[in-house]
Amino acid sequence: MTKTQIYTMVTSLLNEIQIDTTLFDTFLDNAQMRVEGIRPWVVLRTQDATQIASPGDDFTVGKTLASDFREWYDEAPIQLVSNNVSQPLVEVPFADRFIYKSSGGRFAADYVNNLFYLLTNINQAYTIYQNYIRVAPLVSANNTWVFPERFHKILPLMIAEMWKNGIDYDVVSNAQASQQSMQAAAMLSEMTRWDSRLQLNMTRGIDSTASMGSFNNGVMNGTNIL
């Protein structure tokens, strides 16, 4: 659904009441944010490989988090890759970076300044792969949503519920909002089942030798990932 189609459906759900467009955008952004924040959706997972770790980099050299970064999703969300060999890094608290600066296989993130630091030995050039959940473009600004279109109707249902339980609240509106809330909840349940199946399918081919338990000083033992 486009933004215009979402607005049309909301108008229909509100018995032809037309919401001010600025207020509509606020409700739309809120609904989108609520859905996307529920879980680490596969459709929001992405990877950035635009940065390089160079020999001589140490724990004082900050690297930039991806511009659309929201949160990490993997057990070892940063991987250093060179000649098809991966060195996975796990996160430790930013305040503990001095403790782990020479231990290898770790990184720390300064989320306030959108930086992360590699706490491992950099003895050659590596491509830095960041695996993370992205902040999706706003539907209100970009007209489209990254989720499959079959789930888009959850947004107008949520907007109508917000309107009827807030600005237009009365006994009748409350009853209608409850129905719309149940419809949105049913759609969210189906979205969750779909995403759970995707996540399950992604793990079927994982080999036990590639688990975190096989790491030796941060290097994946004998594993060629590419």
Side-chain angles (χ1 to χ4, degrees):
M1 297 179 72
T2 65
K3 176 182 172 180
T4 299
Q5 290 172 326
I6 292 172
Y7 186 88
T8 298
M9 182 173 174
V10 169
T11 301
S12 179
L13 290 169
L14 299 182
N15 299 316
E16 303 308 314
I17 294 175
Q18 294 188 335
I19 302 177
D20 172 80
T21 54
T22 300
L23 182 59
F24 170 77
D25 285 350
T26 300
F27 283 157
L28 179 56
D29 292 347
N30 183 281
Q32 179 181 347
M33 178 183 65
R34 285 166 57 187
V35 173
E36 292 177 2
I38 287 173
R39 58 189 284 136
W41 301 97
V42 171
V43 74
L44 295 179
R45 297 182 184 187
T46 190
Q47 185 178 79
D48 177 272
T50 61
Q51 297 187 77
I52 300 295
S54 302
D57 285 354
D58 61 17
F59 77 103
T60 66
V61 178
K63 304 294 183 180
T64 305
L65 289 168
S67 59
D68 58 352
F69 175 88
R70 192 181 80 191
E71 60 186 282
W72 308 111
Y73 75 83
D74 202 3
E75 194 170 2
I78 292 181
Q79 295 188 19
L80 308 182
V81 179
S82 177
N83 297 322
N84 295 347
V85 175
S86 169
Q87 182 180 164
L89 307 183
V90 295
E91 187 175 14
V92 296
F94 181 64
D96 293 341
R97 65 193 183 283
F98 299 101
I99 299 173
Y100 293 102
K101 64 181 181 179
S102 302
S103 59
R106 294 175 174 85
F107 74 95
D110 176 5
Y111 295 112
V112 175
N113 295 301
N114 297 314
L115 297 171
F116 65 93
Y117 296 82
L118 307 175
L119 310 180
T120 191
N121 181 36
I122 309 297
N123 54 13
Q124 60 180 309
Y126 289 96
T127 300
I128 303 173
Y129 286 82
Q130 300 178 58
N131 299 301
Y132 64 97
I133 304 294
R134 64 176 171 144
V135 176
L138 291 174
V139 180
S140 62
N142 291 271
N143 201 42
T144 58
W145 198 26
V146 297
F147 281 77
E149 188 166 359
R150 65 184 181 276
F151 298 131
H152 287 191
K153 289 184 176 63
I154 194 172
L155 297 178
L157 286 168
M158 292 175 69
I159 293 170
E161 178 196 355
M162 284 186 273
W163 175 270
K164 291 182 178 180
N165 270 334
I167 294 174
D168 194 40
Y169 180 84
D170 59 28
V171 175
V172 175
S173 291
N174 178 254
Q176 293 174 340
S178 295
Q179 287 295 320
Q180 288 154 359
S181 177
M182 286 190 290
Q183 293 177 49
M187 186 168 292
L188 180 61
S189 179
E190 179 53 36
M191 292 174 69
T192 301
R193 284 193 294 271
W194 162 72
D195 187 70
S196 295
R197 290 191 292 269
L198 291 182
Q199 295 195 36
L200 176 62
N201 290 340
M202 291 167 62
T203 66
R204 295 188 189 280
I206 292 179
D207 185 74
S208 59
T209 61
S211 68
M212 288 296 296
S214 69
F215 292 172
N216 180 16
N217 295 324
V219 178
M220 191 176 289
N221 294 338
T223 301
N224 186 324
I225 66 164
L226 299 178

